[in-house]
Amino acid sequence: MWSAPGYIAWVIDDGEHAHVGLAGRADRFTAPLPQLLQRFRDSFPTPEPAGPVQRRGGPIPVGGLLRRIVSPQGLLVGDAAGAVSPLTAGGLDPCMRMSELAASVTFDYLRSGNRYVLEHYDAAAMRRRYLVRSTMRRGLSLVRGPGLAELAFTGLRTPIGKAAAKRILFT
Ligand SMILES: Cc1cc2nc3c(=O)[nH]c(=O)nc-3n(C[C@H](O)[C@H](O)[C@H](O)COP(=O)(O)OP(=O)(O)OC[C@H]3O[C@@H](n4cnc5c(N)ncnc54)[C@H](O)[C@@H]3O)c2cc1C
C-alpha cells in the first residue's frame, strides 16, 4: 500500500499511548486523508483503543525558510518562520538553533536600540542550510512507488548510507 506519497506513515507505542499518523503530499493522496489513515491502521495489528481517541492534523511548512523573518516589531522562530527540514519535515533542531540566535539578537537590539543588530538574524544565511535538503526533497517527490523507496532505505542501512543519513538528517 502506498498511502503516504512523498512522506511517511507511522505507528508508535510510547508505552502509554499509541500514535498512528500519516503525512504525504496532499496533491497525490488517492483518497481522503481519514480514509487513508484508517486503511493504514487496518494494515497493522493494533488493538482497539482502550480510552479516548484524539485526532489532530494540519499542513507542515516544508516550503523553506521565509525571506523576511525579522523586523523591529518581532522575530519569527521555528515552524512560524518555515524552519522545517524539507526532507524530513522535522523542525525541532532548527527551532532550537534559531531560538538561541533569536534570543541573543533580541537582547542585543533591546540593549543597543540599533536596528542593524537585527541583520544578524539573517534568513538568507540560514536558508543555505536547507539547499541540499530541498534538492533531495524534490528528488524524493519523483519517487512514485514503494519499490524505489524500499531500495533507498536499504541503501541507508549500509555504512556509507548511515554516514550520509547522519550528516543530512541530524546536523
Ligand atoms: C506528530 C508530529 C511529529 C513530529 N515529529 C518530529 C520529529 O520527530 N522531529 C522533529 O525534529 N520534528 C518533529 N515534528 C515537528 C516539530 O514538532 C516542530 O517543528 C516544532 O515543534 C516547532 O516548534 P515551534 O516552537 O516552532 O512550534 P510549536 O511547537 O508548534 O509551538 C508553538 C506554540 O505556540 C502556541 N500558540 C499558537 N498560537 C498561539 C497564540 N495565538 N497564543 C499563544 N500561543 C499560541 C501553540 O499552542 C504551541 O505551544 C513533529 C510534529 C508533529 C505534529
Side-chain angles (χ1 to χ4, degrees):
M1 184 174 51
W2 189 238
S3 48
Y7 268 116
I8 49 170
W10 61 93
V11 179
I12 294 167
D13 177 356
D14 69 11
E16 199 178 334
H17 300 113
H19 305 259
V20 184
L22 190 153
R25 291 186 55 123
D27 60 341
R28 285 175 39 201
F29 284 148
T30 52
L33 194 54
Q35 214 171 306
L36 288 176
L37 190 60
Q38 186 59 46
R39 250 191 256 163
F40 174 66
R41 209 199 125 195
D42 291 346
S43 65
F44 284 90
T46 45
E48 279 306 307
V53 176
Q54 287 185 0
R55 292 192 175 81
R56 59 193 140 173
I60 307 175
V62 288
L65 211 61
L66 300 178
R67 288 195 181 278
R68 191 159 167 258
I69 56 171
V70 61
S71 84
Q73 279 70 47
L75 299 87
L76 295 177
V77 176
D79 278 15
V84 174
S85 166
L87 190 60
T88 61
L92 291 173
D93 180 68
C95 183
M96 301 297 273
R97 288 172 198 257
M98 283 182 96
S99 305
E100 213 173 330
L101 182 60
S104 134
V105 167
T106 303
F107 178 75
D108 289 348
Y109 174 62
L110 292 178
R111 196 179 49 176
S112 67
N114 179 356
R115 61 178 295 156
Y116 292 105
V117 165
L118 299 175
E119 288 176 12
H120 290 127
Y121 197 65
D122 178 12
M126 289 187 243
R127 202 178 297 118
R128 277 194 285 277
R129 286 181 59 86
Y130 292 114
L131 274 179
V132 175
R133 292 171 178 86
S134 294
T135 308
M136 292 181 80
R137 154 109 330 258
R138 279 194 288 278
L140 199 61
S141 296
L142 300 175
V143 177
R144 296 278 163 165
L148 208 52
E150 288 294 337
L151 199 66
F153 279 108
T154 305
L156 286 174
R157 285 189 208 108
T158 64
I160 293 174
K162 278 184 189 166
K166 193 174 168 191
R167 190 168 165 72
I168 294 164
L169 301 178
F170 302 112
T171 60

